[in-house]
Amino acid sequence: MSFRLQWLHLRSQALRTPITWLLASTVPSLYAAEPVQLESLTVTGSTISDRFAADSRVVSSTTVIEHEEISERHATNLIEVLRAVPGVTADLSGEGDSIKIKLRGIENQRYMGEKPGVAIVIDGVPVFERTGKVSVDLDNIQSIRVVKGGASYLFGEDALAGAVIITTKRGAGHEGVAIEHDRGSFGYQRDSLRGGFASEHLAGHLQWVSRRSDGYYELSERDTTSLSGNLQYFLDDVSDLTFGFEVSERFRDREGSVSGATMAKYDPRGVSEGRGYTRQFDVELSRYNLTYSRDFSATGTLQLLGYQYTDDTRYWSAPIRYDAQGRPVSDNQVDQYQNDNDYAQVQQGLKFEIRETFGRLGLMGGAEVRRNTFDEQATAKESYATTIRPRLIVVEQGTLKSDYLTEERTRALYSEAQLSLDKGLTLVANYRFDSTDLDGLDRLAGGLHTGDRYQNHSWRLGFNKALSADLSLYGAVSTGFRNPTVSQYADNPDLDPETAYTYEIGLHQDSQWLGWPTRLNASLFYIDRRDFITSNVGQYVNDKAASAAADIEEPRPENIGGVTSRGFELALSTEVRHRLSFDLAYTFLQSRFKDYDNYFLALGNPYGALVSDPAQFSNPASQVLFLRYDNSGNSVPRTPRHLLNLRVNWFPVEHWKLSGEMDYRGTSYADELNQETLPSRTLFNLALSHQRRFMAPGDIPLQFTAFLKVDNLLDERFYSSARGFYDSDANGVYNREDLSIVVDPGRVWQAGVALRF
């Protein structure tokens, strides 16, 4: 083994240990600022933290959800929080809080291990967790900011359609003790205990949370235990040092999909489905950061951030079809799997930022150094036969099947400038330069795959024009990018990075609407998604498809096409008047493939004998026929034309609150062919809460809260998600019986109490 191979191998072992250095900071939010004065402007860009409320002078669509609102929703997953945000087209599989967040239809055609096209930022760090999904402790969220439009100008790779910026709990606001207990459908139980303190020089808290559920679906148990905390030390009047951490142990089993519309109707829980493709996910997550911030002038701030985030996931994959003796293994033998997978990811990095204002000009500059490693191993969970004819070939238990290390090293410079002109006009410009090196080490084969050095330029140009004291017009052009992976580069060194350009114009208004103080935001957007990478024979298609195409020499990843998304978004929220308040979110979305001319659909057994002439396709169980389609102009799957969310809060008497929600999702397609549909659905949810404050003996202030909520009140049966890409039952026909469908559990309830003192 060469010196470089040995060096990469040693680094892969060392990266599993905690780091001992961590530096960071706490600074104003990505788009928050003090009101802009013509003679003095405060620059608002930052990647590190998100402490303040949004300012009306933003240049891109943003939605902020604060801690109080998140807590009052008593959500069991992040989708329940984000579905009131216009433009969110996320998929929810199963019941857990591990989801893939998507915006404005970008990347909705993908649902396996790919990145989602949205930067998920937790405490200033874009996180890439297992299979592109984000696992976050809902009980440790201080705020969520959803920024739409290409956001690579601040966060780098994968911010094609925007960013979801999550800030965890911190500060003196969590002083005291809080005890909470919830119960709900299917054995759901949640327990939480938090203690916090605040003094002149110190503020901090420690929180323990446990969530468990038997699950609606067969083999869908899940269990999560998290410990998190934050300690903030005020060095002096202008500087502070903050340490934050979160460690979680998570377990989840199957996610609940069934095969075909008939099974979705008669066996929605998947009892007869037996095994899924993956099971038994054991996940260990940790996040550590140490922050430093100093205000060196009335408008100038310096900040540092250092962090280490880890994700160690083990799971089973690939059900065994034949045992070591060549006997068939049925799906009711639910523990029989080929692979025991171990995936370890470590993210380490440092950031530096400085901001200052010079009259009407505000400037921000930052630098970032980041290293991400992905260490993947797969061993044979037990002995099994790969083939039985013409001879028996067996893989022995414990055989190392793959052992791969990937390393990404990024160095970036980024900046923002804001200029305040006369007559209420503010101009904003952002620029970021990323230089990324990719290396891959196949320890099993003994080969080193070195990716190209990618150098990416990202930018945003925007404006905000105050038309009156409570009405402003804004607009921006922004970019996003994603580099090829090491394995994609190894198969095709000529790949270009994927890119996206977002064009947006909107109105922001604070006014009175029928007596209610109302905040309204409306925007028009257009996204030009270019050069997305997938196989030249289509997504998730067996490589045999290349043999069916005379013009394809070999299957490999290519920049095969693009997507356009255009639409209109409206967000309206009111303050409480006449004991009522309202929140409305509406999205009109048209997302289509601009170019996608090579797509092969497998009919029959995808691993069977290849047949090129349909007339010879007589035995689908042992043959495969590939049909070629041009999907250019088709709608992107799982992107409804209309989405509507309406929330109404009623305060009938003191201490009581009744909340109703209607959530509508229009019809969409379940496949890239646009043959099978995912029907529309309308949900009605209802929640009742009671909150009272009183003094306990010893003059201790207490707050008691109780709630009851019922989701899907009318018990509507619908598909949470549906996807299809081949003849899964190998009968020679592709139809609704080939879809992989997740059926919603129907009406569910949850109730809980909380005591804070």
Side-chain angles (χ1 to χ4, degrees):
M1 181 181 291
S2 70
F3 171 78
R4 181 165 179 78
L5 292 178
Q6 293 175 350
W7 177 74
L8 273 173
H9 176 71
L10 291 174
R11 290 182 69 177
S12 72
Q13 303 302 314
L15 286 169
R16 291 177 179 264
T17 63
I19 58 174
T20 58
W21 50 266
L22 292 163
L23 290 175
S25 74
T26 314
V27 297
S29 70
L30 178 62
Y31 295 96
E34 297 297 325
V36 176
Q37 306 295 325
L38 286 179
E39 67 276 5
S40 179
L41 182 144
T42 302
V43 67
T44 61
S46 173
T47 71
I48 292 180
S49 72
D50 198 45
R51 293 190 298 179
F52 302 111
D55 181 43
S56 62
R57 292 182 179 271
V58 298
V59 300
S60 302
S61 292
T62 63
T63 300
V64 179
I65 306 173
E66 299 291 353
H67 164 68
E68 293 78 10
E69 186 176 357
I70 298 170
S71 178
E72 289 176 358
R73 292 185 186 178
H74 304 288
T76 57
N77 60 69
L78 202 54
I79 282 292
E80 295 180 22
V81 177
L82 295 178
R83 65 188 174 200
V85 177
V88 173
T89 54
D91 297 331
L92 176 62
S93 298
E95 304 163 275
D97 56 359
S98 179
I99 65 171
K100 183 171 287 190
I101 301 170
K102 298 174 184 177
L103 296 173
R104 294 173 167 174
I106 298 301
E107 297 301 90
N108 268 73
Q109 77 274 21
R110 300 183 178 183
Y111 53 84
M112 288 191 179
E114 302 88 354
K115 297 175 183 178
V118 177
I120 310 299
V121 183
I122 301 180
D123 289 341
V125 181
V127 296
F128 303 109
E129 296 187 1
R130 183 59 188 163
T131 67
K133 299 181 181 180
V134 57
S135 297
V136 59
D137 182 4
L138 291 170
D139 298 282
N140 194 31
I141 296 178
Q142 181 70 33
S143 67
I144 301 173
R145 182 184 299 274
V146 181
V147 179
K148 283 168 279 186
S152 292
Y153 58 86
L154 280 181
F155 297 110
E157 187 179 9
D158 204 40
L160 295 168
V164 176
I165 305 161
I166 297 172
T167 301
T168 59
K169 292 178 179 177
R170 63 188 64 184
H174 303 286
E175 182 181 9
V177 176
I179 304 171
E180 301 180 23
H181 175 74
D182 301 349
R183 286 188 177 272
S185 300
F186 315 119
Y188 175 78
Q189 180 173 321
R190 170 184 167 273
D191 296 286
S192 173
L193 175 63
R194 187 184 74 242
F197 69 94
S199 65
E200 182 179 358
H201 297 290
L202 282 174
H205 75 274
L206 189 66
Q207 177 174 277
W208 171 85
V209 179
S210 173
R211 292 175 182 254
R212 68 164 308 276
S213 174
D214 297 330
Y216 167 75
Y217 308 101
E218 184 74 3
L219 302 175
S220 64
E221 298 87 356
R222 64 186 193 274
D223 194 341
T224 298
T225 302
S226 298
L227 182 67
S228 59
N230 185 273
L231 181 64
Q232 188 172 17
Y233 176 53
F234 304 99
L235 301 171
D236 50 43
D237 292 339
V238 295
S239 61
D240 62 76
L241 188 66
T242 303
F243 172 72
F245 78 94
E246 178 182 319
V247 292
S248 297
E249 292 185 358
R250 300 167 180 262
F251 169 81
R252 66 174 176 85
D253 214 331
R254 283 193 61 222
E255 291 196 349
S257 62
V258 297
S259 299
T262 300
M263 296 303 295
K265 181 178 181 179
Y266 294 107
D267 184 20
R269 295 179 60 238
V271 175
S272 59
E273 192 81 10
R275 306 169 291 178
Y277 185 77
T278 56
R279 279 197 62 205
Q280 294 281 316
F281 285 81
D282 283 297
V283 184
E284 295 181 1
L285 301 176
S286 67
R287 291 195 285 267
Y288 302 94
N289 56 70
L290 186 66
T291 67
Y292 172 77
S293 178
R294 181 175 181 82
D295 298 330
F296 57 82
S297 71
T299 56
T301 303
L302 178 147
Q303 51 271 330
L304 295 170
L305 164 64
Y307 59 87
Q308 174 169 293
Y309 290 6
T310 66
D311 175 353
D312 196 337
T313 300
R314 298 196 64 167
Y315 64 100
W316 302 343
S317 68
I320 290 175
R321 298 306 176 192
Y322 302 99
D323 65 16
Q325 285 73 46
R327 297 169 300 195
V329 177
S330 65
D331 277 338
N332 60 12
Q333 295 175 268
V334 295
D335 293 336
Q336 301 295 298
Y337 279 81
Q338 298 179 25
N339 303 323
D340 190 353
N341 305 276
D342 190 352
Y343 172 98
Q345 174 179 295
V346 180
Q347 299 178 238
Q348 298 173 322
L350 284 171
K351 290 185 178 182
F352 167 82
E353 286 183 8
I354 188 167
R355 308 185 325 152
E356 182 56 284
T357 298
F358 306 93
R360 298 186 184 187
L361 177 66
L363 298 175
M364 180 274 291
E368 178 178 4
V369 179
R370 181 173 67 231
R371 181 179 64 188
N372 295 341
T373 61
F374 311 87
D375 197 347
E376 304 177 75
Q377 292 182 335
T379 57
K381 179 178 175 291
E382 46 207 300
S383 300
Y384 65 94
T386 57
T387 59
I388 58 175
R389 294 185 182 90
R391 63 187 182 90
L392 187 69
I393 300 177
V394 176
V395 176
E396 299 294 338
Q397 181 182 23
T399 300
L400 184 62
K401 301 177 65 178
S402 64
D403 190 0
Y404 204 88
L405 172 68
T406 303
E407 182 177 6
E408 300 177 354
R409 299 181 304 280
T410 299
R411 296 164 297 281
L413 298 173
Y414 54 93
S415 61
E416 178 173 307
Q418 290 193 20
L419 179 63
S420 177
L421 302 176
D422 293 333
K423 299 181 180 180
L425 178 62
T426 301
L427 303 179
V428 178
N430 292 84
Y431 172 76
R432 175 171 170 133
F433 172 76
D434 286 80
S435 178
T436 303
D437 294 309
L438 300 178
D439 285 316
L441 172 62
D442 188 340
R443 287 178 292 228
L444 188 62
L448 177 68
H449 303 290
T450 301
D452 196 4
R453 169 173 289 180
Y454 294 100
Q455 296 184 333
N456 308 97
H457 304 269
S458 309
W459 51 269
R460 179 184 66 165
L461 296 174
F463 74 93
N464 187 294
K465 169 64 175 176
L467 303 177
S468 66
D470 54 15
L471 177 65
S472 61
L473 175 71
Y474 65 86
V477 180
S478 56
T479 67
F481 75 90
R482 177 195 292 153
N483 291 322
T485 65
V486 169
S487 60
Q488 289 173 337
Y489 177 85
D491 291 336
N492 183 2
D494 296 326
L495 288 172
D496 294 323
E498 303 175 338
T499 58
Y501 293 80
T502 298
Y503 307 85
E504 182 174 29
I505 189 166
L507 284 170
H508 179 97
Q509 184 178 34
D510 293 318
S511 62
Q512 294 284 326
W513 182 71
L514 299 178
W516 276 270
T518 302
R519 171 162 289 189
L520 180 145
N521 187 75
S523 64
L524 294 168
F525 64 87
Y526 176 81
I527 304 175
D528 184 7
R529 172 86 166 83
R530 304 176 184 177
D531 296 326
F532 72 76
I533 300 171
T534 194
S535 172
N536 55 4
V537 293
Q539 292 199 97
Y540 318 131
V541 179
N542 189 290
D543 287 349
K544 282 188 176 182
S547 302
D551 56 341
I552 297 178
E553 294 182 1
E554 60 176 344
R556 67 174 190 172
E558 290 184 0
N559 298 104
I560 67 163
V563 169
T564 59
S565 290
R566 67 193 76 193
F568 169 74
E569 294 172 354
L570 174 67
L572 180 150
S573 61
T574 71
E575 296 182 10
V576 179
R577 286 293 185 273
H578 314 296
R579 300 184 181 273
L580 285 171
S581 67
F582 308 88
D583 296 280
L584 174 72
Y586 170 73
T587 304
F588 170 78
L589 175 65
Q590 187 182 67
S591 191
R592 296 186 180 278
F593 292 111
K594 183 170 58 176
D595 301 297
Y596 195 173
D597 56 5
N598 268 1
Y599 182 90
F600 287 82
L601 175 74
L603 297 181
N605 182 350
Y607 301 99
L610 180 65
V611 175
S612 57
D613 184 357
Q616 299 176 349
F617 186 54
S618 58
N619 188 357
S622 61
Q623 295 176 321
V624 60
L625 172 69
F626 289 96
L627 301 181
R628 185 171 189 166
Y629 291 86
D630 183 351
N631 290 336
S632 301
N634 284 4
S635 295
V636 175
R638 295 168 291 281
T639 57
R641 185 68 61 91
H642 302 280
L643 298 100
L644 176 67
N645 184 274
L646 173 65
R647 297 173 186 249
V648 180
N649 299 311
W650 179 40
F651 303 84
V653 294
E654 189 178 9
H655 307 304
W656 290 90
K657 176 183 177 182
L658 183 65
S659 300
E661 178 184 28
M662 181 192 76
D663 190 73
Y664 170 78
R665 187 180 182 99
T667 303
S668 60
Y669 289 104
D671 53 22
E672 292 156 289
L673 298 178
N674 287 186
Q675 175 178 311
E676 305 302 330
T677 58
L678 179 59
S680 65
R681 58 99 174 121
T682 303
L683 297 181
F684 293 93
N685 307 320
L686 195 64
L688 178 66
S689 62
H690 174 74
Q691 186 176 106
R692 186 180 295 271
R693 299 176 185 270
F694 55 92
M695 298 299 293
D699 293 330
I700 300 175
L702 294 180
Q703 177 180 299
F704 171 79
T705 303
F707 78 93
L708 170 66
K709 74 169 189 172
V710 181
D711 289 342
N712 197 354
L713 186 67
L714 303 182
D715 199 24
E716 179 178 352
R717 312 303 293 186
F718 65 94
Y719 300 163
S720 296
S721 69
R723 53 185 182 262
F725 62 95
Y726 78 116
D727 173 21
S728 64
D729 56 10
N731 66 352
V733 178
Y734 171 71
N735 54 27
R736 295 188 66 78
E737 297 304 322
D738 297 303
L739 298 181
S740 176
I741 299 171
V742 178
V743 181
D744 184 79
R747 184 188 299 119
V748 295
W749 66 272
Q750 185 181 344
V753 295
L755 186 65
R756 297 176 175 86
F757 56 90

